[in-house]
Amino acid sequence: MAEIHAFKVGYCTHPACMAVKGAGLRPRPFPSRAYLLMTQSGPYLWDTGYSEHFSEEARGIYTPYRWVTPVHYQHDADCLETQLARFGVWPRDIRAILISHFHADHVSGLRDYPGVPMMASRFALDAIRKLQGLAALRRAFIPALLPKDFEERIQAFESTPARDLPAALHPFKQGWPIDAGGELWAVALPGHAEGHMGAFVQTESGWQLLAADAAWAPEAYRELRGPAELSFLIQHSRKEYYKTLAKLHALDGNGIKIHLSHEM
Ligand SMILES: [Zn+2]
């Protein structure tokens, strides 16, 4: 059975109502989380959170990114490699970095894992390839955060055929197996960003879902309270977002634990 370890890798601040409608304009921190998934096949990483590369690359045309989401990142305390080392895991040990989507707060650390394979959805890859300048900024994507040999190391989750998920994961029906032991499955969670993905992980205490940015706070899926309407200026599809949120609501009702990338 796999183990899930969560890390806080920096945070940004935003009005609380961006996460849940009616939560007010008071700024609250949104931690950026990365997850270490220890499987029988070895360690996997789910996203990377922020890194020092974010402040280096959020400049020029990408500077507004820093104004909209002021980022707090402490060199020592927030560094993901330092946090992984406490588990005896070094970058070279990682089997693959699983990318939920390409918003900068999820992929800022990719360059710190030289040679490590990466996986993302085909839709997400199609959406970011050749994306530059203002068009990239509007999708919260900073191309320079990708390693130079990104194209050689990236693989689509969908490169293996989709298969039926266990009945316990209803209403999710199909996913893409990631590891050889069947403990890790990629699953489409559309709405937040093009090709936005989640992952089911089989642990000792049952299946759990890494849901990335399908919601920004647990109240959103528990009470079906979406984020501020303004947020849909940067999210991909409001309609798909609410369909995914309803599925998370059902999954939560079935007792499946859900991890969000920005929950407190
Ligand atoms: Zn996002």
Side-chain angles (χ1 to χ4, degrees):
M1 297 286 178
E3 287 172 19
I4 301 177
H5 301 284
F7 304 101
K8 181 174 148 267
V9 194
Y11 70 94
C12 70
T13 52
H14 240 0
C17 65
M18 286 303 273
V20 184
K21 243 180 230 170
L25 288 168
R26 197 166 34 87
R28 57 151 269 202
F30 288 84
S32 213
R33 297 195 184 280
Y35 293 86
L36 171 65
L37 313 172
M38 300 294 272
T39 73
Q40 305 293 320
S41 322
Y44 288 79
L45 206 52
W46 177 253
D47 288 340
T48 69
Y50 286 113
S51 75
E52 282 175 357
H53 305 306
F54 178 81
S55 52
E56 292 158 16
E57 303 298 350
R59 58 189 160 83
I61 200 161
Y62 301 106
T63 309
Y65 200 134
R66 281 196 271 163
W67 299 337
V68 177
T69 58
V71 171
H72 303 258
Y73 179 86
Q74 289 184 312
H75 172 71
D76 293 322
D78 292 333
C79 173
L80 181 57
E81 297 97 283
T82 307
Q83 299 187 71
L84 290 173
R86 291 189 200 119
F87 286 82
V89 173
W90 305 98
R92 62 173 180 273
D93 302 329
I94 308 276
R95 297 280 311 222
I97 303 174
L98 314 173
I99 300 167
S100 63
H101 63 303
F102 285 91
H103 287 168
D105 52 333
H106 294 255
V107 298
S108 283
L110 288 181
R111 279 161 39 193
D112 296 328
Y113 300 83
V116 175
M118 295 172 277
M119 299 185 83
S121 90
R122 187 167 288 145
F123 291 118
L125 291 167
D126 288 347
I128 57 135
R129 280 184 177 127
K130 301 194 182 112
L131 207 53
Q132 290 286 338
L134 264 183
L137 177 67
R138 284 185 52 227
R139 287 178 169 84
F141 172 60
I142 302 178
L145 292 173
L146 300 186
K148 290 227 160 28
D149 59 352
F150 177 76
E151 288 296 342
E152 285 96 80
R153 290 198 272 139
I154 190 75
Q155 192 191 345
F157 289 122
E158 301 94 329
S159 58
T160 54
R163 283 171 41 192
D164 288 346
L165 289 166
L169 303 180
H170 180 83
F172 291 91
K173 293 194 171 78
Q174 289 212 309
W176 293 270
I178 296 170
D179 67 312
E183 294 170 334
L184 260 184
W185 292 71
V187 63
L189 300 178
H192 171 66
E194 285 146 306
H196 181 263
M197 299 295 281
F200 281 113
V201 186
Q202 193 177 27
T203 72
E204 284 289 350
S205 50
W207 286 97
Q208 303 189 15
L209 175 67
L210 301 169
D213 287 8
W216 284 324
E219 305 93 284
Y221 62 78
R222 286 192 189 133
E223 301 163 23
L224 288 176
R225 277 168 73 196
E229 288 302 317
L230 193 64
S231 75
F232 289 104
L233 285 176
I234 54 149
Q235 305 209 69
H236 173 55
S237 161
R238 186 181 188 282
K239 192 172 155 204
E240 293 296 326
Y241 181 94
Y242 276 102
K243 273 198 213 169
T244 295
L245 199 64
K247 283 174 144 184
L248 296 193
H249 180 76
L251 199 69
D252 179 55
N254 293 339
I256 304 288
K257 184 171 171 59
I258 296 172
H259 303 264
L260 304 175
S261 290
H262 303 300
E263 68 194 354
M264 298 288 278

